[in-house]
Amino acid sequence: MLDEQSDIVAGSKIASSLQKEIEEVLQLAHRFKEEVVLPNFSQYDLHVFKDLDWLPEEFLKRAAAFGLFTLWLPKIFGGKGYSPQTMALFNEEIASVCLGMANIIAVHYLGITIVSVTSNFKLLNTICQEVVRAEKLGGFPCLVSVAATEPDAGTDVEELELIDRGTLICKAIKKEGGYLLSGTKSFISNGHFSTWHIVTAYADLKRPSQTPVLLAVKKGTMGFSLGKIERKMGQKVCPTGELIFDNCFVKDEHLCLDLSALKMAKGAREVNAILLNDILSLSRVGVGAFGAGMARGAYQCALDYAKKEYLGKERAIDVEWVQSILASMLQNFLGAKSAYFQAMRLNAKVGPFASMQNPIVYRLLKWLPSSLQQRVLLPILSTSSVMARALSDRIKKADPFYCHQTSLWASHAKTLGADLAVKNCQLAIELMGKIGLRHDAKIEKLLRDAKLLQIYEGPNQINRLNLFYSSMKMAGEKVKEYDS
């Protein structure tokens, strides 16, 4: 429907290499969908209806066997080094059938992304090497989760202007040799089967926007336990639950970043704003890709129905009012896809990993053997001075205009993708009638899954406000933000 290769590589100086990667990833996505997702998505959904605490262990092992948890890890850290841009296409393809399965894989890489954004390459290597080793051994994979939201602070932790208003309880107190972590994290996807958890806590709960502490907490750490699994409406195959920290001691070597301890020209709050924007501008594009996939999946369900059902003596697909509905659904899918493509291209150009699009850097990381990168480049990257310099350079080079621009397009892709996914599911059910309400018709599950897109990575209402605020900042206008 859209030419993924030409759309993504347009204007790129690494077009030929990236095009080959896109082709390989799309082929892999199609094969994984045919062999793993389509045969199992319906029964997995029913499993959770019958057993609310059921975990998709078989799916995790199959995904690991396909190499999906290392495919987008940089080669320098033992992964296969595929471009992050290709992952959005993979997400879209899998989400067109089962958003829960797609989310399990995407959340893992969000955790990796957060550590990457902090420029803590030494810790990143530790985590990635465990992921790679687990894949080579077979069996249960090593995954990463992201623990940011709290029982009474969901959206608050994702918007700088709201953090200080939130009711936060997760605190990290500096001790000799590490941090004492206390508090509860809620609605954590993958939390109940991940090995590593990237936890956001705060050194001072009265000034959270200025004192975030990011810690990597490993499964089995004393003082860390799992709480309840949430009873969700959709995306049931991807469990969402509580993580509980009761005086959990996290060693210094597992510290991603302590903003209050950094010495930079820009203040801690301003640095926090840049890092939050980097992370959310990437993660919200992923949600946009999910939405496009779901919009396509709903359109395909409706199209298949219209091809085989008859209205009187005519096939439904030959009736004009049915064609009008299908045309609107197709247009919704294309709109959602165009939005996340634009946001993705912008991130690649000016986002936190823009340097990877430099032809020399790209080819060096792509074609230099992994063993050589780990032997020569990794020891240099892992020194304290280089890691500090990398973070400092990112903060200095973060142009405010481009930060607002990437934030605007990411929120646009997220809200549009989520809303159009829901709209297409509703249109499909209207077209299919009572048949669309049956579990085996697929579409009711797609709608349950799609509704959650309007909530996570900031609810759509907040993202719309962020889109507007970003546009005002780009225009040099000052307006009150979240004044309610």
Side-chain angles (χ1 to χ4, degrees):
M1 292 181 183
L2 282 184
D3 185 343
E4 288 91 348
Q5 289 87 344
S6 62
D7 263 39
I8 292 182
V9 304
S12 173
K13 295 179 180 179
I14 53 173
S16 59
S17 296
L18 185 55
Q19 181 168 332
K20 183 179 179 182
E21 281 191 32
I22 292 169
E23 292 170 354
E24 292 174 356
V25 166
L26 286 175
Q27 288 174 6
L28 179 65
H30 289 308
R31 187 161 66 88
F32 184 69
K33 185 176 75 172
E34 293 295 324
E35 295 181 19
V36 179
V37 181
L38 282 169
N40 296 296
F41 78 95
S42 183
Q43 71 178 65
Y44 285 172
D45 191 56
L46 292 175
H47 263 309
V48 187
F49 272 114
K50 296 174 183 177
D51 179 2
L52 297 174
D53 295 317
W54 180 83
L55 297 176
E57 296 182 3
E58 179 188 357
F59 171 77
L60 296 173
K61 293 176 183 178
R62 294 290 300 277
F66 270 77
L68 299 182
F69 299 121
T70 62
L71 190 68
W72 291 281
L73 297 183
K75 289 177 70 176
I76 194 171
F77 302 121
K80 299 177 184 69
Y82 277 68
S83 170
Q85 293 182 73
T86 65
M87 189 177 182
L89 297 171
F90 183 92
N91 288 342
E92 180 198 321
E93 187 65 32
I94 306 307
S96 69
V97 178
C98 182
L99 186 51
M101 292 183 181
N103 198 36
I104 286 175
I105 299 166
V107 166
H108 168 71
Y109 284 101
L110 178 57
I112 296 293
T113 297
I114 291 174
V115 182
S116 302
V117 166
T118 68
S119 299
N120 192 329
F121 305 122
K122 187 175 183 180
L123 177 58
L124 182 61
N125 182 57
T126 297
I127 295 172
C128 289
Q129 291 297 335
E130 281 204 34
V131 175
V132 172
R133 280 197 298 272
E135 181 179 286
K136 289 180 179 177
L137 291 172
F140 203 82
C142 171
L143 272 73
V144 184
S145 81
V146 177
T149 52
E150 301 190 8
D152 295 310
T155 301
D156 302 324
V157 302
E158 295 185 341
E159 293 296 334
L160 191 70
E161 298 302 323
L162 298 177
I163 292 177
D164 291 337
R165 306 184 202 178
T167 306
L168 298 162
I169 60 173
C170 206
K171 188 171 184 178
I173 302 173
K174 185 70 181 85
K175 298 289 184 179
E176 184 178 353
Y179 289 78
L180 201 61
L181 177 62
S182 297
T184 300
K185 291 295 182 180
S186 298
F187 311 110
I188 309 306
S189 298
N190 290 7
H192 276 63
F193 51 64
S194 289
T195 303
W196 288 93
H197 309 271
I198 310 305
V199 181
T200 302
Y202 306 91
D204 185 349
L205 294 177
K206 294 181 179 179
R207 299 183 302 121
S209 66
Q210 301 174 56
T211 63
V213 180
L214 272 68
L215 299 164
V217 182
K218 192 173 183 181
K219 179 181 178 181
T221 302
M222 189 174 295
F224 168 45
S225 61
L226 300 174
K228 65 178 181 179
I229 294 179
E230 299 293 340
R231 300 341 185 187
K232 298 192 300 181
M233 173 179 64
Q235 299 183 36
K236 286 180 170 291
V237 73
C238 179
T240 301
E242 285 184 332
L243 308 183
I244 302 169
F245 305 97
D246 184 8
N247 290 323
C248 175
F249 186 75
V250 183
K251 295 181 289 186
D252 278 335
E253 62 195 69
H254 292 163
L255 169 70
C256 302
L257 183 69
D258 181 351
L259 267 190
S260 61
L262 287 181
K263 294 180 180 179
M264 289 190 175
K266 294 183 179 180
R269 195 173 189 276
E270 190 175 356
V271 173
N272 191 16
I274 293 170
L275 298 180
L276 266 177
N277 181 75
D278 282 350
I279 294 166
L280 290 171
S281 291
L282 292 167
S283 65
R284 286 170 175 168
V285 172
V287 179
F290 283 163
M294 297 231 73
R296 173 156 64 96
Y299 167 71
Q300 193 62 54
C301 283
L303 184 64
D304 291 343
Y305 170 84
K307 286 179 179 178
K308 65 183 180 183
E309 293 296 325
Y310 280 78
L311 295 176
K313 295 182 179 180
E314 288 189 291
R315 290 189 310 162
I317 199 171
D318 294 321
V319 177
E320 188 172 326
W321 69 263
V322 174
Q323 295 170 347
S324 294
I325 292 176
L326 292 172
S328 293
M329 295 178 72
L330 176 57
Q331 193 172 32
N332 289 343
F333 159 60
L334 294 175
K337 185 155 188 167
S338 295
Y340 93 74
F341 266 36
Q342 174 64 20
M344 181 171 62
R345 285 196 297 264
L346 187 61
N347 261 310
K349 184 177 179 181
V350 299
F353 306 127
S355 61
M356 294 176 65
Q357 302 303 305
N358 178 288
I360 296 175
V361 174
Y362 177 85
R363 291 188 175 92
L364 181 67
L365 296 177
K366 182 68 178 176
W367 304 116
L368 198 63
S370 180
S371 58
L372 188 59
Q373 291 188 38
Q374 292 174 35
R375 191 167 64 250
V376 177
L377 299 179
L378 186 58
I380 299 172
L381 277 180
S382 299
T383 60
S384 299
S385 59
V386 170
M387 291 191 293
R389 178 64 181 273
L391 180 60
S392 178
D393 284 350
R394 171 57 193 158
I395 300 304
K396 289 178 182 177
K397 294 177 181 178
D399 184 295
F401 180 86
Y402 288 136
C403 286
H404 300 321
Q405 191 179 32
T406 55
S407 184
L408 183 154
W409 275 97
S411 284
H412 172 60
K414 190 271 183 191
T415 54
L416 192 67
D419 286 346
L420 293 181
V422 171
K423 182 62 176 176
N424 267 16
C425 290
Q426 292 169 337
L427 287 171
I429 289 176
E430 288 178 16
L431 178 62
M432 297 167 70
K434 61 184 180 181
I435 292 176
L437 300 177
R438 288 166 38 180
H439 189 270
D440 60 0
K442 305 178 186 178
I443 191 63
E444 67 85 26
K445 177 189 178 299
L446 285 177
L447 178 57
R448 285 189 285 109
D449 287 355
K451 285 297 291 181
L452 291 182
L453 291 179
Q454 296 177 317
I455 299 172
Y456 58 54
E457 294 310 300
N460 277 12
Q461 295 90 331
I462 290 292
N463 272 276
R464 287 191 184 91
L465 287 172
N466 177 65
L467 188 157
F468 173 70
Y469 296 151
S470 296
S471 71
M472 290 296 97
K473 290 171 183 174
M474 290 168 65
E477 297 282 350
K478 289 186 178 181
V479 297
K480 289 183 178 180
E481 296 186 24
Y482 307 110
D483 187 35
S484 61

